[in-house]
Amino acid sequence: MKITPVQALNDNYIWMIQDGNHAACVDPSDATPVLIFLVRNRLMLAQTWVTHLHHDHIGGVQSLKNGFMESPVYGEADIDVATHTVTAGMPFPFCDGLVTVWAPPRHTDRHVRHLLEKAEGLHVFFGGTLFSPGWGRVFMGTIEELLDSFQRFTQVPDETPVYPSHE
């Protein structure tokens, strides 16, 4: 498995998760860099995971759906481009791994994180709650709820890689 950041917009990352000739993308703000990545690496888009409804996380989803009609899009009920509705604690498969939806208090009231568990370990995709230099903004809820959310994250092993969707 290989996980690659693909830059999009001004400060977004679309995470591309390769497993064999299949790929999942996380928060595709723009379809073009995803399509370029898929073609260059000769991959088929197997899944799309969306953390929340802000345009800089879902802007490219519809175009990807048009090109990969059989590829599921996992997102909360408020994400109209999702083909598979997810809720906290819900698992779904990706290749030989398992993705679990984690939805503690966060950036928006329906923001989720994706925990990918594979034989080689756990990987956490944070969306808009964790940035390279710090926390994301709180649009809904309170800063205390966001702090609670990060305290929960301290329960995962220290060596767990994390993947924020912004610089």
Side-chain angles (χ1 to χ4, degrees):
M1 182 182 76
K2 182 178 177 184
I3 300 173
T4 306
V6 174
Q7 284 196 281
L9 306 179
N10 291 328
D11 68 348
N12 283 61
Y13 291 117
I14 302 167
W15 292 101
M16 298 299 300
I17 307 155
Q18 295 176 243
D19 196 328
N21 64 347
H22 292 92
C25 69
V26 183
D27 286 345
S29 54
D30 183 0
T32 300
V34 172
L35 295 170
I36 291 169
F37 183 87
L38 293 170
V39 168
R40 283 187 180 156
N41 292 282
R42 297 186 175 133
L43 299 169
M44 174 59 78
L45 183 62
Q47 296 177 354
T48 300
W49 311 343
V50 179
T51 60
H52 64 292
L53 57 74
H54 289 161
H55 184 73
D56 64 330
H57 294 261
I58 65 169
V61 174
Q62 188 59 55
S63 292
L64 293 172
K65 278 178 60 176
N66 293 343
F68 298 92
M69 290 187 227
E70 300 297 318
S71 177
V73 177
Y74 293 93
E76 274 272 6
D78 63 338
I79 299 171
D80 61 354
V81 291
T83 61
H84 292 66
T85 300
V86 298
T87 57
M90 179 183 164
F92 60 89
F94 173 65
C95 293
D96 64 349
L98 185 67
V99 179
T100 303
V101 176
W102 187 18
R106 57 248 170 220
H107 181 57
T108 67
D109 65 347
R110 288 187 181 241
H111 191 291
V112 298
R113 297 179 197 144
H114 300 93
L115 285 73
L116 171 60
E117 191 168 359
K118 301 220 3 126
E120 63 267 20
L122 184 67
H123 303 268
V124 182
F125 298 87
F126 266 89
T129 56
L130 180 70
F131 294 21
S132 298
W135 297 2
R137 293 189 307 180
V138 177
F139 288 102
M140 299 166 184
T142 67
I143 197 69
E144 290 79 18
E145 289 173 323
L146 186 61
L147 177 59
D148 234 20
S149 172
F150 280 102
Q151 288 172 337
R152 180 176 179 191
F153 177 66
T154 64
Q155 298 169 10
V156 301
D158 288 343
E159 65 274 5
T160 304
V162 298
Y163 305 90
S165 291
H166 293 279
E167 181 56 56

